[in-house]
Amino acid sequence: MRKLILASLIALVSGMANAFEAAELNGTWSFYEQDAAGNVVSKKVTITLNKDGSYHWVDSFWRQNGTWSVEENRLMMSNVGSHKLISITADEVEMKRGSTMRMRKGSR
């Protein structure tokens, strides 16, 4: 019984540690780095995640608008796809979708 209670508490705390909120992502972010299998590529993309659930993606080649949300620790972007959120701080976001992507607060 004790093992079951301990396992339940560990699962609860683990889930709480990774419960990301949409409010943590509101604002303008610079997607600056993508890491795949040890190959790191610099990126220059500005992504604005608006409080109303819309986003605006701007890079050197194209612009895109869509909707976004956070669901089960994933950043869901209507025209981009789903990214697993690894960590969010006031200044940086790390997420994964095949490769690891990093964003910092502010425009590029």
Side-chain angles (χ1 to χ4, degrees):
M1 183 67 159
R2 287 183 187 186
K3 288 182 183 180
L4 179 60
I5 292 171
L6 182 58
S8 297
L9 286 173
I10 290 171
L12 178 63
V13 170
S14 296
M16 288 171 51
N18 292 325
F20 300 113
E21 300 290 330
E24 295 175 279
L25 292 171
N26 288 331
T28 300
W29 297 90
S30 174
F31 169 26
Y32 70 92
E33 186 175 84
Q34 190 165 1
D35 182 351
N39 297 317
V40 178
V41 177
S42 294
K43 297 288 186 181
K44 293 184 179 179
V45 178
T46 299
I47 303 169
T48 302
L49 302 171
N50 297 306
K51 288 181 183 180
D52 69 0
S54 65
Y55 74 84
H56 187 64
W57 176 297
V58 178
D59 68 27
S60 303
F61 302 105
W62 58 290
R63 296 171 187 266
Q64 181 182 81
N65 293 306
T67 58
W68 74 279
S69 63
V70 173
E71 299 171 17
E72 297 181 11
N73 297 325
R74 300 187 81 73
L75 171 59
M76 312 293 283
M77 299 175 77
S78 62
N79 296 314
V80 179
S82 170
H83 302 78
K84 180 177 174 31
L85 294 166
I86 306 300
S87 68
I88 300 174
T89 68
D91 302 343
E92 297 222 11
V93 172
E94 186 172 280
M95 56 191 175
K96 191 169 187 115
R97 187 179 102 185
S99 60
T100 300
M101 298 180 241
R102 294 178 186 91
M103 300 190 303
R104 42 175 93 97
K105 197 68 163 186
S107 60
R108 56 184 173 114

